[in-house]
């Protein structure tokens, strides 16, 4: 799969305009190769965040070439934000959870947890082993984590994204499971820095593939 991560700085007075425009992206539900798209506001920073997932880089590239600019123009978002950062890359790990698959998780999640990780040189292999052997099974066992993916955005930048059934499930996980997982993970050995986001998902920003038949 291919993941795209978008961060936008939106003035308080333009939030309604931005949000309405984000809802306009629902039209790409019929785009071949779309796995799904979710987003919302980070309460800690006030920034808008959007995660898009595609079957592969080719499907994403065709969308960008054939349709992106037209949909963006129609969304009316051009004047609603003051800053935008985008990054994309291949997903390197899928994490199973309570949902049957990633599509079901995207459709049902109400909370997105993100860890934007900058990995120290030479520690990428260990970092990924910890994702597979510590974090993925640990979060799955907590209950309420529907599914997740790790996306490699740059040589030493990895985006860990997990979809949750709701804030209560994540709070239970943070209280009962997170301390032990942190002790096992040894983050200081692998990471130069990490930035976390806890994002309640806006329902009308959600884009799921149109099901035919």
């Amino acid at each position: 799969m291919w993941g795209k991560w978008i961060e936008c700085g939106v003035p308080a007075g333009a939030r309604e305009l931005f949000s309405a425009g984000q809802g306009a992206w629902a039209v790409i539900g019929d785009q071949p190769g779309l796995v799904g798209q979710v987003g919302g506001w980070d309460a800690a920073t006030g920034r808008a965040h959007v995660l898009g997932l595609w079957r592969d880089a080719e499907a994403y590239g065709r969308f960008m070439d054939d349709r992106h600019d037209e949909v963006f123009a129609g969304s009316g978002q051009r004047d609603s934000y003051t800053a935008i950062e985008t990054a994309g890359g291949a997903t390197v790990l899928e994490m199973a959870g309570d949902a049957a698959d990633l599509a079901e998780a995207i459709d049902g999640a109400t909370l997105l947890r993100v860890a934007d990780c900058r990995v120290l040189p030479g520690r990428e292999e260990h970092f990924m082993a910890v994702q597979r052997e510590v974090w993925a099974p640990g979060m799955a066992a907590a209950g309420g984590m529907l599914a997740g993916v790790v996306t490699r955005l740059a040589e030493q930048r990895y985006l860990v994204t997990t979809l949750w059934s709701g804030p209560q499930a994540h709070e239970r996980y943070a209280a009962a499971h997170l301390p032990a997982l942190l002790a096992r993970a040894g983050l200081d050995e692998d990471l130069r820095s990490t930035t976390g986001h806890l994002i309640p998902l806006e329902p009308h920003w959600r884009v799921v593939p149109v099901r035919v038949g």
Side-chain angles (χ1 to χ4, degrees):
M1 280 193 303
W2 184 267
K4 184 175 183 179
W5 179 236
I6 306 169
E7 304 182 41
C8 294
V10 182
R15 275 193 167 205
E16 186 174 340
L17 176 62
F18 181 91
S19 188
Q22 196 59 43
W25 290 89
V27 299
I28 71 171
D30 63 354
Q31 183 70 28
L34 176 71
V35 177
Q37 183 167 284
V38 294
W41 304 99
D42 185 335
T45 65
R47 292 171 69 86
H49 297 267
V50 177
L51 173 69
L53 294 171
W54 297 81
R55 183 180 59 229
D56 49 39
E58 290 74 22
Y60 171 70
R62 285 192 295 272
F63 163 68
M64 292 298 294
D65 290 342
D66 299 341
R67 201 169 176 193
H68 174 274
D69 291 354
E70 178 185 354
V71 177
F72 176 64
S75 74
Q77 285 182 302
R78 187 179 302 276
D79 297 323
S80 66
Y81 56 82
T82 56
I84 184 169
E85 299 174 26
T86 65
T91 60
V92 291
L93 178 66
E94 293 187 42
M95 294 178 279
D98 292 347
D101 53 31
L102 187 58
E104 181 180 292
I106 290 170
D107 202 16
T110 66
L111 185 75
L112 177 68
R113 169 61 180 164
V114 179
D116 192 345
C117 302
R118 311 290 177 136
V119 180
L120 290 166
R123 299 298 297 181
E124 294 91 344
E125 185 175 342
H126 184 264
F127 170 80
M128 286 304 305
V130 169
Q131 298 304 312
R132 290 190 300 270
E133 300 165 15
V134 178
W135 290 112
M139 286 188 287
M145 196 279 280
L146 303 180
V149 297
V150 180
T151 305
R152 190 171 188 245
L153 296 180
E155 185 175 358
Q156 291 162 354
R157 183 185 179 190
Y158 294 79
L159 196 75
V160 183
T161 50
T162 48
L163 294 151
W164 293 79
S165 61
Q168 295 83 6
H170 187 268
E171 288 166 9
R172 289 194 300 270
Y173 154 75
H177 298 266
L178 181 57
L181 294 174
L182 284 171
R184 292 177 57 200
L187 296 181
D188 291 343
E189 299 176 5
D190 288 341
L191 299 182
R192 185 172 76 247
S193 67
T194 183
T195 303
H197 307 281
L198 196 61
I199 303 169
L201 297 177
E202 293 287 336
H204 69 288
W205 294 16
R206 190 187 325 267
V207 184
V208 295
V210 174
R211 293 173 174 83
V212 180

